[in-house]
Amino acid sequence: MSRANLAALAILISINAAADMVHFKNGDRLTGDRVEAEAGFVAIDVPDLGVMRIPDALIARVETTEDAGPPAEPSAAATSAISGLIDTWDVIADLAATTATGNTETSDLNFVASATRTGVRFDHVLGAAWHRGEATAVAPAERILAKDQLDLNYDLRWKYQESWYAVANFEYFRDPIKDIDRRYTAGAGFGHTFWTSPRGTLSTDGGVSRVFEKLASVSEASTSDSNPALRWSLSYQHWLAPERFELFHNNQLLHILASDRGTVWDSDTGLRLHVNGRWQAGVRLDLQHETTPAAGRGRTDLAYAVSLGVKL
Protein backbone atom coordinates (compact mmCIF):
# COMPACT_ATOMS: atom_id res chain seq x y z
CA MET A 1 0.00 0.00 0.00
CA SER A 2 1.40 3.43 -0.95
CA ARG A 3 2.13 6.19 1.56
CA ALA A 4 -0.72 8.24 0.10
CA ASN A 5 -3.17 5.40 0.68
CA LEU A 6 -1.88 4.91 4.20
CA ALA A 7 -2.34 8.60 4.92
CA ALA A 8 -5.88 8.56 3.52
CA LEU A 9 -6.72 5.51 5.62
CA ALA A 10 -5.35 7.19 8.75
CA ILE A 11 -7.45 10.30 8.08
CA LEU A 12 -10.58 8.16 7.56
CA ILE A 13 -9.99 6.26 10.80
CA SER A 14 -9.45 9.48 12.72
CA ILE A 15 -12.69 10.94 11.33
CA ASN A 16 -14.67 7.84 12.29
CA ALA A 17 -13.06 7.76 15.71
CA ALA A 18 -14.04 11.38 16.31
CA ALA A 19 -17.70 10.84 15.35
CA ASP A 20 -20.45 10.39 17.95
CA MET A 21 -22.16 7.01 18.09
CA VAL A 22 -25.68 6.07 19.25
CA HIS A 23 -26.00 2.48 20.53
CA PHE A 24 -29.56 1.16 20.21
CA LYS A 25 -31.04 -1.40 22.62
CA ASN A 26 -31.49 -3.85 19.75
CA GLY A 27 -27.74 -3.76 19.03
CA ASP A 28 -27.79 -1.36 16.05
CA ARG A 29 -25.50 1.70 15.94
CA LEU A 30 -25.69 5.10 14.26
CA THR A 31 -22.66 7.34 13.70
CA GLY A 32 -22.62 11.08 13.15
CA ASP A 33 -22.35 14.39 15.00
CA ARG A 34 -24.64 14.89 17.99
CA VAL A 35 -26.66 18.12 17.97
CA GLU A 36 -29.09 19.72 20.40
CA ALA A 37 -32.54 18.15 20.82
CA GLU A 38 -35.63 18.56 22.96
CA ALA A 39 -36.09 16.61 26.18
CA GLY A 40 -36.69 12.89 25.67
CA PHE A 41 -34.81 12.71 22.37
CA VAL A 42 -31.28 12.47 21.02
CA ALA A 43 -30.51 14.17 17.71
CA ILE A 44 -27.58 13.13 15.56
CA ASP A 45 -26.47 14.56 12.21
CA VAL A 46 -25.72 11.58 9.94
CA PRO A 47 -23.71 12.21 6.74
CA ASP A 48 -25.90 11.98 3.61
CA LEU A 49 -29.03 11.46 5.74
CA GLY A 50 -29.33 14.63 7.78
CA VAL A 51 -30.44 15.11 11.39
CA MET A 52 -32.28 12.16 12.94
CA ARG A 53 -34.28 12.45 16.19
CA ILE A 54 -34.30 9.27 18.28
CA PRO A 55 -36.49 8.67 21.41
CA ASP A 56 -34.52 7.95 24.59
CA ALA A 57 -36.55 4.73 25.06
CA LEU A 58 -34.78 3.15 22.07
CA ILE A 59 -31.24 4.09 23.13
CA ALA A 60 -28.91 2.01 25.28
CA ARG A 61 -26.14 4.64 25.43
CA VAL A 62 -24.51 7.45 23.47
CA GLU A 63 -20.77 7.46 22.90
CA THR A 64 -19.73 11.07 22.32
CA THR A 65 -16.53 12.54 20.88
CA GLU A 66 -15.40 13.41 24.38
CA ASP A 67 -15.65 9.74 25.32
CA ALA A 68 -12.93 8.88 22.81
CA GLY A 69 -9.37 8.74 24.07
CA PRO A 70 -6.31 6.53 24.28
CA PRO A 71 -6.93 2.77 24.49
CA ALA A 72 -8.11 1.75 27.93
CA GLU A 73 -6.10 -0.51 30.15
CA PRO A 74 -7.49 -4.06 30.48
CA SER A 75 -8.88 -3.35 33.93
CA ALA A 76 -10.57 -0.17 32.71
CA ALA A 77 -11.96 -2.03 29.71
CA ALA A 78 -13.41 -4.71 31.97
CA THR A 79 -15.00 -2.03 34.15
CA SER A 80 -16.46 -0.36 31.08
CA ALA A 81 -17.88 -3.69 29.86
CA ILE A 82 -19.56 -4.33 33.21
CA SER A 83 -20.96 -0.79 33.26
CA GLY A 84 -22.26 -1.23 29.72
CA LEU A 85 -23.93 -4.51 30.67
CA ILE A 86 -25.74 -2.84 33.56
CA ASP A 87 -26.79 0.10 31.40
CA THR A 88 -28.46 -2.23 28.89
CA TRP A 89 -31.00 -3.47 31.45
CA ASP A 90 -34.30 -1.59 31.74
CA VAL A 91 -35.54 -1.99 35.32
CA ILE A 92 -38.94 -0.79 36.56
CA ALA A 93 -40.22 -1.30 40.12
CA ASP A 94 -43.74 -0.42 41.34
CA LEU A 95 -44.80 -0.33 44.99
CA ALA A 96 -48.34 0.07 46.31
CA ALA A 97 -49.26 0.04 50.01
CA THR A 98 -52.68 0.63 51.60
CA THR A 99 -53.99 0.65 55.17
CA ALA A 100 -57.50 0.96 56.60
CA THR A 101 -58.78 1.33 60.18
CA GLY A 102 -62.17 0.95 61.84
CA ASN A 103 -63.91 -2.23 62.90
CA THR A 104 -61.16 -4.03 60.98
CA GLU A 105 -57.60 -2.89 60.48
CA THR A 106 -56.16 -4.00 57.15
CA SER A 107 -52.85 -3.55 55.39
CA ASP A 108 -51.90 -4.51 51.84
CA LEU A 109 -48.55 -4.41 50.09
CA ASN A 110 -48.05 -5.00 46.37
CA PHE A 111 -44.58 -5.01 44.83
CA VAL A 112 -44.04 -5.58 41.11
CA ALA A 113 -40.71 -5.34 39.28
CA SER A 114 -39.46 -6.14 35.79
CA ALA A 115 -36.06 -6.10 34.13
CA THR A 116 -35.49 -6.38 30.39
CA ARG A 117 -32.28 -6.61 28.41
CA THR A 118 -32.60 -6.40 24.62
CA GLY A 119 -29.76 -7.65 22.42
CA VAL A 120 -29.04 -8.35 18.79
CA ARG A 121 -29.91 -12.05 19.11
CA PHE A 122 -31.07 -12.63 22.69
CA ASP A 123 -33.57 -10.87 24.93
CA HIS A 124 -33.72 -11.48 28.69
CA VAL A 125 -36.94 -10.74 30.58
CA LEU A 126 -37.14 -11.01 34.38
CA GLY A 127 -40.27 -10.45 36.47
CA ALA A 128 -41.17 -10.47 40.16
CA ALA A 129 -44.45 -9.87 41.97
CA TRP A 130 -45.24 -10.05 45.70
CA HIS A 131 -48.71 -9.47 47.15
CA ARG A 132 -49.37 -9.61 50.88
CA GLY A 133 -52.49 -8.62 52.81
CA GLU A 134 -53.33 -8.82 56.51
CA ALA A 135 -56.44 -8.00 58.53
CA THR A 136 -57.03 -7.59 62.28
CA ALA A 137 -60.47 -7.52 63.88
CA VAL A 138 -60.78 -5.06 66.77
CA ALA A 139 -62.74 -7.52 68.89
CA PRO A 140 -61.39 -10.09 69.22
CA ALA A 141 -57.95 -8.93 68.11
CA GLU A 142 -56.89 -11.66 65.72
CA ARG A 143 -54.44 -11.23 62.88
CA ILE A 144 -55.54 -12.94 59.66
CA LEU A 145 -53.32 -13.43 56.64
CA ALA A 146 -55.56 -12.66 53.68
CA LYS A 147 -53.06 -12.85 50.81
CA ASP A 148 -49.48 -14.05 50.44
CA GLN A 149 -48.41 -14.55 46.82
CA LEU A 150 -44.92 -14.66 45.35
CA ASP A 151 -44.32 -14.99 41.60
CA LEU A 152 -40.87 -15.03 39.93
CA ASN A 153 -40.34 -15.63 36.22
CA TYR A 154 -37.62 -15.51 33.57
CA ASP A 155 -37.81 -15.66 29.76
CA LEU A 156 -34.89 -16.12 27.37
CA ARG A 157 -35.78 -15.22 23.79
CA TRP A 158 -33.63 -16.09 20.78
CA LYS A 159 -34.48 -13.98 17.74
CA TYR A 160 -33.75 -16.01 14.63
CA GLN A 161 -35.74 -13.87 12.15
CA GLU A 162 -36.96 -10.29 12.06
CA SER A 163 -40.16 -11.00 13.99
CA TRP A 164 -39.92 -14.64 15.11
CA TYR A 165 -38.17 -15.99 18.18
CA ALA A 166 -37.69 -19.14 20.22
CA VAL A 167 -38.30 -18.85 23.95
CA ALA A 168 -37.31 -20.76 27.07
CA ASN A 169 -39.07 -19.84 30.31
CA PHE A 170 -39.01 -20.62 34.01
CA GLU A 171 -41.47 -19.61 36.73
CA TYR A 172 -41.71 -20.06 40.50
CA PHE A 173 -45.06 -19.44 42.21
CA ARG A 174 -46.14 -19.71 45.84
CA ASP A 175 -49.53 -19.01 47.44
CA PRO A 176 -50.28 -20.94 50.66
CA ILE A 177 -53.66 -19.21 50.91
CA LYS A 178 -54.67 -21.06 47.75
CA ASP A 179 -52.99 -24.25 49.02
CA ILE A 180 -50.01 -23.93 46.64
CA ASP A 181 -46.87 -24.46 48.68
CA ARG A 182 -44.71 -24.16 45.56
CA ARG A 183 -45.11 -24.50 41.81
CA TYR A 184 -42.20 -24.65 39.36
CA THR A 185 -42.85 -24.34 35.64
CA ALA A 186 -40.20 -24.83 32.95
CA GLY A 187 -40.83 -24.90 29.23
CA ALA A 188 -39.94 -23.85 25.72
CA GLY A 189 -41.74 -22.71 22.60
CA PHE A 190 -41.92 -20.18 19.78
CA GLY A 191 -43.17 -16.61 19.58
CA HIS A 192 -43.95 -13.85 17.12
CA THR A 193 -43.69 -10.07 17.40
CA PHE A 194 -46.62 -8.64 15.45
CA TRP A 195 -45.37 -5.07 15.57
CA THR A 196 -42.85 -2.91 17.37
CA SER A 197 -42.29 0.82 17.03
CA PRO A 198 -41.66 3.90 19.18
CA ARG A 199 -45.43 3.80 19.92
CA GLY A 200 -45.39 0.30 21.43
CA THR A 201 -45.12 -3.46 20.95
CA LEU A 202 -47.33 -6.53 20.61
CA SER A 203 -45.96 -10.06 20.88
CA THR A 204 -47.19 -13.54 21.76
CA ASP A 205 -45.66 -16.96 22.28
CA GLY A 206 -46.72 -20.49 23.08
CA GLY A 207 -45.17 -23.83 23.83
CA VAL A 208 -45.03 -26.86 26.10
CA SER A 209 -44.05 -26.89 29.77
CA ARG A 210 -43.53 -29.18 32.71
CA VAL A 211 -45.18 -28.25 36.00
CA PHE A 212 -43.82 -29.44 39.35
CA GLU A 213 -46.31 -28.66 42.10
CA LYS A 214 -46.51 -29.21 45.86
CA LEU A 215 -49.78 -28.45 47.65
CA ALA A 216 -49.65 -27.06 51.19
CA SER A 217 -52.32 -29.48 52.42
CA VAL A 218 -50.20 -32.48 51.38
CA SER A 219 -47.65 -33.81 53.86
CA GLU A 220 -44.07 -32.67 53.36
CA ALA A 221 -42.94 -36.28 53.03
CA SER A 222 -44.93 -36.75 49.82
CA THR A 223 -43.41 -35.93 46.48
CA SER A 224 -44.51 -33.06 44.26
CA ASP A 225 -46.89 -33.67 41.39
CA SER A 226 -45.33 -33.43 37.93
CA ASN A 227 -47.51 -32.85 34.90
CA PRO A 228 -47.07 -31.66 31.31
CA ALA A 229 -48.76 -28.41 30.35
CA LEU A 230 -49.48 -26.11 27.43
CA ARG A 231 -48.50 -22.46 27.83
CA TRP A 232 -49.56 -19.30 25.97
CA SER A 233 -48.66 -15.69 26.76
CA LEU A 234 -49.26 -12.25 25.30
CA SER A 235 -47.55 -8.92 25.92
CA TYR A 236 -48.90 -5.54 24.80
CA GLN A 237 -47.60 -2.03 25.40
CA HIS A 238 -48.78 1.21 23.82
CA TRP A 239 -47.91 4.87 24.35
CA LEU A 240 -51.15 6.86 24.51
CA ALA A 241 -48.97 9.97 24.77
CA PRO A 242 -45.36 9.47 23.59
CA GLU A 243 -42.96 8.91 26.47
CA ARG A 244 -45.59 10.15 28.94
CA PHE A 245 -48.74 8.00 29.24
CA GLU A 246 -48.50 4.23 28.78
CA LEU A 247 -51.07 1.42 28.51
CA PHE A 248 -49.88 -2.15 29.18
CA HIS A 249 -51.31 -5.64 29.36
CA ASN A 250 -49.62 -8.99 29.96
CA ASN A 251 -51.21 -12.37 30.41
CA GLN A 252 -50.26 -16.03 30.63
CA LEU A 253 -52.45 -19.10 30.22
CA LEU A 254 -51.15 -22.40 31.61
CA HIS A 255 -53.25 -25.48 30.87
CA ILE A 256 -52.05 -28.34 33.07
CA LEU A 257 -52.70 -31.67 31.38
CA ALA A 258 -54.10 -33.37 34.45
CA SER A 259 -57.80 -33.91 35.12
CA ASP A 260 -57.68 -32.45 38.65
CA ARG A 261 -55.60 -29.28 37.97
CA GLY A 262 -57.25 -27.52 35.03
CA THR A 263 -56.11 -24.12 33.72
CA VAL A 264 -54.35 -21.21 35.42
CA TRP A 265 -54.69 -17.68 33.98
CA ASP A 266 -52.56 -14.76 35.19
CA SER A 267 -52.76 -11.21 33.86
CA ASP A 268 -51.88 -7.63 34.73
CA THR A 269 -53.37 -4.58 33.06
CA GLY A 270 -52.80 -0.93 33.81
CA LEU A 271 -51.94 2.65 32.98
CA ARG A 272 -48.61 4.25 33.81
CA LEU A 273 -47.87 8.00 33.92
CA HIS A 274 -44.19 8.83 33.44
CA VAL A 275 -43.67 11.94 35.54
CA ASN A 276 -40.07 12.23 34.35
CA GLY A 277 -37.26 9.97 33.19
CA ARG A 278 -37.12 8.18 36.55
CA TRP A 279 -40.40 8.49 38.48
CA GLN A 280 -43.80 7.23 37.44
CA ALA A 281 -47.25 6.63 38.90
CA GLY A 282 -49.83 4.11 37.81
CA VAL A 283 -52.96 2.06 38.36
CA ARG A 284 -53.10 -1.67 37.69
CA LEU A 285 -55.39 -4.66 37.93
CA ASP A 286 -53.85 -8.07 38.64
CA LEU A 287 -55.94 -11.18 38.06
CA GLN A 288 -55.33 -14.84 38.80
CA HIS A 289 -57.93 -17.44 37.91
CA GLU A 290 -57.84 -21.22 38.35
CA THR A 291 -60.56 -23.38 36.82
CA THR A 292 -59.92 -26.15 39.35
CA PRO A 293 -58.72 -24.61 42.63
CA ALA A 294 -57.97 -26.56 45.78
CA ALA A 295 -60.96 -27.60 47.89
CA GLY A 296 -62.48 -24.68 49.76
CA ARG A 297 -60.61 -22.03 47.74
CA GLY A 298 -62.09 -19.49 45.35
CA ARG A 299 -61.32 -19.55 41.66
CA THR A 300 -60.43 -15.89 41.13
CA ASP A 301 -58.15 -13.42 42.91
CA LEU A 302 -58.25 -9.75 41.95
CA ALA A 303 -55.89 -7.04 43.17
CA TYR A 304 -56.35 -3.32 42.47
CA ALA A 305 -53.38 -1.06 43.05
CA VAL A 306 -52.43 2.60 42.78
CA SER A 307 -48.65 2.53 42.70
CA LEU A 308 -45.55 4.70 42.65
CA GLY A 309 -42.72 3.40 40.50
CA VAL A 310 -39.09 4.11 39.72
CA LYS A 311 -37.02 3.35 36.62
CA LEU A 312 -33.45 2.38 37.43
Side-chain angles (χ1 to χ4, degrees):
M1 182 179 292
S2 66
R3 291 184 178 180
N5 289 338
L6 287 173
L9 180 60
I11 293 173
L12 180 61
I13 292 175
S14 65
I15 292 174
N16 288 337
D20 301 325
M21 184 177 293
V22 176
H23 295 259
F24 291 84
K25 292 179 179 178
N26 65 1
D28 294 337
R29 293 177 294 180
L30 194 63
T31 302
D33 295 319
R34 186 173 181 179
V35 296
E36 292 186 3
E38 64 270 33
F41 290 84
V42 169
I44 186 166
D45 189 358
V46 182
D48 300 325
L49 293 178
V51 177
M52 304 187 68
R53 295 167 59 256
I54 308 163
D56 289 342
L58 302 179
I59 298 174
R61 63 188 177 90
V62 178
E63 183 179 340
T64 63
T65 303
E66 290 76 9
D67 295 334
E73 297 296 330
S75 57
T79 303
S80 176
I82 295 174
S83 176
L85 178 63
I86 295 174
D87 290 342
T88 57
W89 285 89
D90 284 335
V91 182
I92 297 177
D94 291 335
L95 179 65
T98 61
T99 60
T101 60
N103 291 324
T104 302
E105 295 181 356
T106 62
S107 61
D108 293 278
L109 180 65
N110 293 344
F111 174 77
V112 179
S114 64
T116 305
R117 180 171 183 247
T118 302
V120 178
R121 283 295 180 187
F122 293 95
D123 291 346
H124 303 267
V125 182
L126 294 167
W130 181 49
H131 304 284
R132 185 177 179 88
E134 295 183 346
T136 301
V138 175
E142 181 182 359
R143 198 68 172 171
I144 301 173
L145 184 62
K147 180 174 289 187
D148 186 17
Q149 291 182 355
L150 177 63
D151 191 356
L152 305 173
N153 56 77
Y154 168 68
D155 283 3
L156 173 63
R157 298 175 181 176
W158 173 51
K159 297 174 285 190
Y160 60 93
Q161 288 186 5
E162 184 177 351
S163 59
W164 291 92
Y165 58 89
V167 60
N169 51 72
F170 173 81
E171 181 178 13
Y172 169 78
F173 179 78
R174 178 184 64 82
D175 187 354
I177 305 299
K178 299 194 72 169
D179 201 34
I180 302 173
D181 184 66
R182 54 184 176 267
R183 177 193 290 153
Y184 302 94
T185 305
F190 295 94
H192 180 66
T193 300
F194 289 97
W195 59 273
T196 180
S197 72
R199 296 303 300 268
T201 61
L202 173 64
S203 62
T204 183
D205 62 73
V208 295
S209 298
R210 193 77 185 180
V211 180
F212 305 89
E213 192 173 47
K214 173 72 169 62
L215 300 182
S217 59
V218 180
S219 64
E220 190 64 32
S222 63
T223 58
S224 302
D225 288 335
S226 174
N227 295 294
L230 301 177
R231 176 183 175 274
W232 172 74
S233 71
L234 180 141
S235 178
Y236 172 72
Q237 181 259 346
H238 180 69
W239 290 103
L240 301 177
E243 304 299 320
R244 182 62 66 181
F245 199 40
E246 175 190 6
L247 168 68
F248 63 89
H249 172 76
N250 303 286
N251 72 251
Q252 173 181 279
L253 194 69
L254 186 69
H255 180 63
I256 304 175
L257 300 177
S259 59
D260 59 339
R261 296 306 297 136
T263 302
V264 179
W265 179 30
D266 291 296
S267 72
D268 60 90
T269 306
L271 296 169
R272 187 178 287 124
L273 174 65
H274 294 251
V275 180
N276 52 41
R278 182 171 297 274
W279 294 100
Q280 54 204 15
V283 293
R284 60 186 297 135
L285 168 65
D286 296 326
L287 178 147
Q288 186 195 55
H289 177 80
E290 296 194 20
T291 58
T292 313
R297 271 69 172 184
R299 293 186 177 185
T300 305
D301 277 344
L302 288 173
Y304 306 90
V306 177
S307 62
L308 178 65
V310 60
K311 183 176 181 179
L312 306 178

